[in-house]
Amino acid sequence: MDLKQRKPASSGNHEAEATKQSKSITNKAGTSDGTLWKYLKYTSLLCVGLSLVFLSSPLDAENLEWIKDVPLEGQFAVEHQITADKSMAMGGAECVAEDDDRNIYTGLHNGNIIKIHPHHLTGQIGEGEQEIFFKSHFPSAPKADQEATHGRPLGLRIRKNKLYVMDAIYGIYTVDLQTREATFLLQIDDVTPHLMIPDDMDITADGKTIYFTDASSRFAIGRAIYTFLEGKCTGRLYRYDVATKQAEMIKSEMCFSNGVQLNEDETVLVVAETLARRVNYFRLPDFQLLNQIYLPTMPDNVRRSGKNNFWIASCGILDDKTKFLDSHPILRRLVAGIIPYSVLHRATEVKHSLLIKTDDLGNILKTYHDADNANVFATAHASDLSDGRVALGTFMGQQLVITKLED
């Protein structure tokens, strides 16, 4: 039998297969290396980008988890509603002051101080002619915000035929109710460091002393949202001697010091801290803290109601989104470094207006709510009018409201 020997596979075929397998392995390794390289490259670029944003951010944000979370229950339960008997379109009409002739005055975002006359026949407050009483513009005066083209009147008071104005751009000045002539009492660079957000004030009955707040030492009114995103307590409380023209700092490291109000016999000074969501009741003249109440919202202006009760206007509940941001300072710093301020300002949401009436020891007497901004938006001010109604102002909103609150 002729047996033929099977021919072994050629060495050339083996080499080709090995080469093919080697190339496959090499390609896989190359693809893996390429993917890893791209991942490292883009991750590095992202890290560098975030680092640059972090370092260039205007904020040095701090953790705000210390802010007390006060629920809307118990004495803050939503029971009595804020209504609007009259609403007038006025952008940023934060504060309201009434003179002896039933005229009311308010300052707007555009720097104008508006005078609203009573009705010429009925004398009803807020129903008459509206006119520009004064334009806050002092070209040669130092400014807290160098980008500002006009003033921003905030706190208003009337004493002896003069309108006292706390202007967030220029400081404190008076406007004669008859001649409309303005006179500076305190300019922003009269204290060191200079005022950044001159906010509110109250004046003793004899006109000799003015208590006023500077909300922040870091940012001017045009960048006020940064103060809340950063979380630093740099506000100050001052006592100004009208005769000597000297301002003495009474308290520092306040958390956006805002509304100021004396009780009738001037033995108690109430001061709101907006960032901390609390209101302080100081005994005078030694400034001992008598009481400190924490709110579910951010307090703004404080005004006396009757003899020794107070209206505290507030807005903005501490929701889950706010709590998350409060606990992540690095995120807030990055947000401020990436998003333009104008976008942040437009995106700011303010929910739930809350009016609180207290006595001069800080005991809460009654609360009024507008949870859905149905009648008022971002309430920042409440003050009694001589006809028994209450004027409600807003810093962020577009309406000045006059209402009758149920007892």
Side-chain angles (χ1 to χ4, degrees):
M1 184 174 178
D2 186 15
L3 298 177
K4 296 183 178 178
Q5 188 175 5
R6 185 180 298 271
K7 186 176 181 181
S10 68
S11 60
N13 290 339
H14 281 297
E15 292 174 357
E17 186 65 24
T19 302
K20 184 178 179 181
Q21 292 177 357
S22 176
K23 287 182 178 180
S24 176
I25 294 172
T26 302
N27 287 338
K28 289 180 180 179
T31 301
S32 178
D33 289 345
T35 302
L36 178 60
W37 168 245
K38 288 181 180 179
Y39 175 80
L40 292 174
K41 180 174 69 175
Y42 291 131
T43 301
S44 298
L45 289 174
L46 177 62
C47 290
V48 170
L50 289 175
S51 297
L52 291 174
V53 169
F54 182 85
L55 294 173
S56 63
S57 173
L59 308 185
D60 180 18
E62 296 184 354
N63 194 300
L64 292 173
E65 290 181 294
W66 56 266
I67 295 177
K68 288 189 177 182
D69 184 6
V70 180
L72 289 169
E73 57 187 38
Q75 57 191 356
F76 295 116
V78 181
E79 296 179 354
H80 305 287
Q81 300 295 321
I82 300 173
T83 58
D85 295 341
K86 181 177 180 61
S87 182
M88 294 171 276
M90 294 184 182
E94 182 183 81
C95 188
V96 176
E98 180 186 355
D99 67 19
D100 293 336
D101 297 320
R102 299 166 73 89
N103 300 298
I104 58 176
Y105 303 80
T106 187
L108 307 184
H109 279 312
N110 62 12
N112 292 340
I113 297 176
I114 303 297
K115 179 179 181 179
I116 308 171
H117 297 260
H119 193 277
H120 69 287
L121 294 177
T122 66
Q124 180 79 351
I125 295 175
E127 297 291 343
E129 175 192 0
Q130 299 178 12
E131 63 167 319
I132 298 175
F133 173 74
F134 185 78
K135 292 185 178 182
S136 176
H137 181 57
F138 302 94
S140 61
K143 300 184 295 185
D145 186 348
Q146 298 308 309
E147 297 178 3
T149 58
H150 52 73
R152 178 56 172 109
L154 293 178
L156 302 177
R157 304 280 183 169
I158 293 178
R159 297 287 190 276
K160 296 181 180 179
N161 207 41
K162 288 185 179 180
L163 177 68
Y164 286 73
V165 181
M166 176 61 85
D167 195 302
I169 302 300
Y170 297 116
I172 307 175
Y173 55 87
T174 62
V175 183
D176 189 284
L177 294 182
Q178 301 301 321
T179 66
R180 307 193 183 190
E181 180 181 352
T183 303
F184 268 104
L185 297 180
L186 181 80
Q187 294 184 303
I188 59 112
D189 59 357
D190 286 340
V191 301
T192 303
H194 71 75
L195 304 177
M196 289 298 289
I197 308 182
D199 199 307
D200 195 25
M201 64 180 165
D202 197 9
I203 309 162
T204 55
D206 59 14
K208 294 181 179 180
T209 304
I210 300 175
Y211 295 98
F212 72 92
T213 52
D214 182 30
S216 170
S217 301
R218 291 272 294 149
F219 302 101
I221 192 70
R223 294 291 185 271
I225 293 174
Y226 282 164
T227 303
F228 295 92
L229 286 175
E230 184 173 66
K232 290 183 180 295
C233 296
T234 63
R236 296 170 286 179
L237 171 66
Y238 283 91
R239 177 171 52 201
Y240 176 75
D241 188 304
V242 176
T244 65
K245 299 182 179 181
Q246 296 297 312
E248 176 189 5
M249 186 173 69
I250 303 299
K251 298 286 182 180
S252 62
E253 298 182 353
M254 301 192 78
C255 302
F256 205 93
S257 43
N258 201 326
V260 183
Q261 179 65 54
L262 290 158
N263 69 343
E264 187 179 39
D265 61 7
E266 300 179 359
T267 59
V268 175
L269 183 70
V270 184
V271 183
E273 291 182 272
T274 306
L275 175 63
R277 298 173 180 261
R278 68 188 175 206
V279 181
N280 306 287
Y281 294 74
F282 296 110
R283 185 180 68 189
L284 296 181
D286 60 2
F287 290 93
Q288 178 181 332
L289 184 63
L290 298 174
N291 196 9
Q292 193 172 63
I293 60 173
Y294 287 84
L295 310 180
T297 44
M298 296 182 291
D300 202 310
N301 279 356
V302 183
R303 289 298 182 267
R304 198 164 69 230
S305 177
K307 289 187 176 181
N308 279 321
N309 293 334
F310 300 95
W311 283 121
I312 301 169
S314 67
C315 62
I317 58 173
L318 192 61
D319 56 17
D320 291 339
K321 181 176 68 175
T322 305
K323 293 176 189 176
F324 177 80
L325 288 173
D326 284 351
S327 62
H328 292 83
I330 293 178
L331 176 60
R332 300 200 309 274
R333 180 167 180 166
L334 291 174
V335 165
I338 295 172
I339 302 177
Y341 185 85
S342 58
V343 176
L344 286 174
H345 187 268
R346 289 195 299 270
T348 301
E349 294 182 348
V350 179
K351 300 177 182 178
H352 205 114
S353 288
L354 172 61
L355 299 181
I356 304 155
K357 179 175 277 191
T358 78
D359 63 18
D360 60 357
L361 294 178
N363 297 305
I364 295 173
L365 305 177
K366 202 159 190 178
T367 61
Y368 300 84
H369 300 255
D370 187 345
D372 302 317
N373 299 327
N375 295 304
V376 294
F377 177 79
T379 302
H381 174 94
S383 58
D384 292 338
L385 298 175
S386 60
D387 63 2
R389 294 183 297 168
V390 179
L392 305 178
T394 174
F395 176 78
M396 300 181 66
Q398 301 298 316
Q399 302 289 327
L400 174 63
V401 170
I402 296 178
T403 186
K404 177 67 175 178
L405 297 173
E406 62 177 90
D407 293 329

